[in-house]
């Protein structure tokens, strides 16, 4: 066996060795895993099928907001927007309803099948309010308002009123503005009143309840305004919180999500919110309520709560993402027996598409047995694990293999020479 043959065999050994290792890593990475912690034993009961195709959770990153209407999820990204069809919750699909929706969009809202969103031709110019009518089964969007220098940041539509929080750009200065429109004829918006809000202390986060508007400030406190007879906002009061994330009204209660957990207030007098009770859980983010069951997200959990006795809130079930998921749960929306959850921005190494995305979907048909439908499976290795393994292969395993193959070649050559010497002597 000559030197070339030895080198060829050694190279083959290296190739086979690395191929085997890559297959081991791939099988592990694309396998299912269900190591999330839980209260009941039925959560996340997905079995491991390492040889099935692995469906990546790749429906975008850098998401700002989402709106759920029926089987559609309207998703807002930094520089674009998407519409997902979740009629099969375990397999969301991108769908195209309106080409204008692909432009940078903001301020999603709906009333029934009427969808409104803000759209711009490019950043900071030519803003429009666009409408999608799902009931008409059309794939067209229509413009119902054009605002050249007023950028809608958040909107809320009722059956006859449109509330808009916008940024008005004048002489290169941005002024936050709150506008109220008569939307009885949605195609012809009539301005009822507008208020220029002093300073820039208000984030684009508000909720209208009865005749009051509740803003969350940049300091994560709660500002309460009243809508007066001329449709202007009159300041009522500021309430201090520990990093207030969101608020939600249910019956006569105001639910607040903040770092101290879930707090409940009597909301009958907005100028004097009265503390009722709280549920102790860290970093509460968002809550929705249906049939005395609360669906609550925190940074690291999705929890269902029994509210039948408001003074004794009890946990029904809980999903805690595993260490490999690298997500922080954020905003939640309900749609029938589904909970659609938006996650915060993922770890930067996940942006490559190996595992990433914002969308989680749960089956909540039984609040005591919530089940994750999407993503269906979680990789056994996270991005950091893969990176470490690659470094070990490159700087440890590969040099060792090269050394061993070199020794093998040298040994083979020495044996060959010995054999030739013996043959010569004989």
């Amino acid at each position: 066996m000559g030197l070339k043959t030895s080198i060829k065999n050694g190279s083959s050994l290296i190739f086979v060795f690395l191929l085997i290792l890559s297959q081991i890593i791939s099988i592990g990475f694309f396998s299912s895993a269900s190591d999330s912690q839980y209260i009941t034993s039925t959560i996340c009961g997905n079995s491991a099928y390492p040889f099935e195709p692995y469906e990546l959770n790749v429906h975008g990153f850098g998401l700002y907001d989402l709106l759920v209407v029926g089987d559609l999820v309207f998703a807002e990204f930094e520089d674009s927007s998407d519409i997902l069809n979740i009629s099969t919750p375990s397999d969301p699909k991108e769908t195209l309803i309106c080409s204008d929706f692909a432009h940078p969009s903001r301020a999603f809202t709906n009333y029934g099948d009427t969808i409104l969103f803000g759209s711009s031709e490019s950043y900071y110019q030519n803003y429009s309010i666009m409408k999608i009518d799902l009931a008409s089964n059309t794939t067209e969007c229509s413009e119902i308002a054009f605002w050249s220098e007023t950028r809608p940041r958040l909107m809320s539509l009722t059956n006859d009123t449109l509330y808009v929080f916008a940024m008005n750009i004048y002489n290169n200065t941005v002024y936050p503005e709150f506008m109220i429109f008569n939307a009885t004829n949605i195609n012809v918006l009539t301005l009822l009143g507008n208020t220029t809000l002093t300073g820039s202390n208000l984030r684009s986060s508000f909720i209208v309840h009865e005749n009051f508007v509740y803003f969350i400030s940049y300091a994560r406190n709660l500002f309460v305004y009243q809508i007066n007879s001329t449709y202007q906002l009159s300041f009522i009061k500021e309430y201090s919180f520990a990093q207030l994330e969101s608020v939600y009204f249910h019956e006569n209660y105001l639910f607040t999500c903040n770092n101290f957990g879930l707090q409940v207030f009597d909301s009958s007098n907005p100028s004097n919110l009265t503390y009722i009770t709280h549920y102790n859980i860290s970093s509460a983010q968002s809550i929705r309520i249906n049939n005395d069951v609360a669906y609550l997200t925190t940074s690291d959990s999705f929890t269902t709560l029994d509210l039948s006795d408001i003074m004794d809130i009890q946990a029904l079930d809980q999903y805690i993402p595993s260490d490999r998921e690298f997500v922080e749960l954020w905003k939640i929306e309900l749609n029938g027996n589904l909970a659609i959850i938006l996650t915060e921005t993922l770890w930067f190494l996940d942006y490559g598409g190996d595992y990433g995305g914002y969308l989680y979907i749960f089956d909540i048909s039984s609040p005591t047995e919530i089940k994750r439908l999407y993503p269906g499976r979680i990789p056994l290795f996270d991005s950091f694990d893969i990176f470490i393994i690659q470094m070990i292969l490159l700087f440890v395993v590969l040099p060792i293999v090269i050394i061993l193959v070199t020794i093998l070649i040298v040994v083979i050559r020495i044996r060959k020479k010995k054999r030739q010497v013996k043959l010569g002597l004989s």
Side-chain angles (χ1 to χ4, degrees), residues 306-354:
D306 182 1
L307 300 182
S308 56
D309 182 355
I310 197 66
M311 300 305 297
D312 186 24
I313 300 175
Q314 297 291 327
L316 298 173
D317 204 357
Q318 188 174 67
Y319 175 89
I320 299 179
S322 67
D323 293 338
R324 294 185 305 277
E325 294 178 62
F326 286 104
V327 294
E328 291 187 358
L329 305 182
W330 181 30
K331 183 176 180 180
I332 182 172
E333 295 291 349
L334 303 183
N335 179 29
N337 290 327
L338 299 178
I340 297 92
I341 295 178
L342 166 66
T343 68
E344 291 276 22
T345 303
L346 302 181
W347 190 37
F348 73 97
L349 286 181
D350 288 321
Y351 282 1
D354 291 334

Side-chain angles (χ1 to χ4, degrees), residues 35-269:
D35 65 345
S36 297
Q37 303 174 41
Y38 47 83
I39 293 176
T40 66
S41 61
T42 58
I43 286 187
C44 193
N46 300 311
S47 301
Y49 296 103
F51 299 107
E52 285 187 357
Y54 178 65
E55 295 295 334
L56 297 176
N57 185 8
V58 293
H59 291 299
F61 56 85
L63 191 77
Y64 283 87
D65 204 356
L66 84 166
L67 173 70
V68 180
V69 183
D71 290 333
L72 299 177
V73 175
F74 296 81
E76 171 193 336
F77 301 100
E78 182 177 3
D79 56 2
S80 64
S81 302
D82 282 329
I83 303 176
L84 306 176
N85 188 316
I86 59 170
S87 55
T88 303
S90 60
D91 187 22
K93 298 291 187 182
E94 292 186 12
T95 184
L96 179 63
I97 291 182
C98 145
S99 58
D100 291 297
F101 194 78
H103 296 302
S105 303
R106 294 291 186 273
F108 301 101
T109 186
N110 78 293
Y111 183 77
D113 288 331
T114 300
I115 315 295
L116 298 185
F117 64 94
S119 179
S120 59
E121 294 180 3
S122 61
Y123 289 107
Y124 305 113
Q125 67 177 7
N126 297 337
Y127 304 108
S128 298
I129 302 297
M130 308 295 295
K131 182 191 75 169
I132 302 174
D133 186 1
L134 297 179
S136 65
N137 295 319
T138 179
T139 59
E140 297 298 325
C141 299
S142 59
E143 183 183 75
I144 61 174
F146 175 77
W147 301 336
S148 60
E149 293 186 335
T150 300
R151 184 185 192 187
R153 298 298 300 273
L154 198 70
M155 299 192 296
S156 177
L157 178 65
T158 69
N159 61 335
D160 58 4
T161 308
L162 174 65
Y163 304 92
V164 180
F165 178 75
M167 293 298 175
N168 193 352
I169 305 172
Y170 182 73
N171 288 336
N172 295 322
T173 302
V174 178
Y175 299 94
E177 186 174 10
F178 191 82
M179 298 177 286
I180 303 175
F181 294 88
N182 183 328
T184 303
N185 181 354
I186 193 64
N187 296 308
V188 183
L189 297 177
T190 304
L191 182 65
L192 298 174
N194 63 309
T195 305
T196 300
L197 302 171
T198 58
S200 57
N201 194 32
L202 301 180
R203 301 165 64 210
S204 55
S205 176
F206 77 87
I207 186 170
V208 179
H209 182 67
E210 295 178 344
N211 206 39
F212 294 86
V213 184
Y214 297 77
F215 282 95
I216 297 177
S217 70
Y218 276 109
R220 302 299 177 92
N221 292 326
L222 184 65
F223 282 67
V224 183
Y225 291 82
Q226 185 174 20
I227 303 173
N228 61 28
S229 58
T230 60
Y231 297 97
Q232 307 293 311
L233 297 188
S234 301
F235 177 73
I236 299 297
K237 192 172 182 178
E238 176 185 1
Y239 295 91
S240 298
F241 285 88
Q243 289 293 105
L244 182 64
E245 295 292 339
S246 64
V247 298
Y248 184 76
F249 286 92
H250 179 68
E251 297 178 346
N252 293 324
Y253 299 112
L254 169 65
F255 293 80
T256 65
C257 295
N258 57 76
N259 275 2
F260 284 166
L262 176 67
Q263 294 179 294
V264 186
F265 297 85
D266 183 341
S267 63
S268 56
N269 183 4

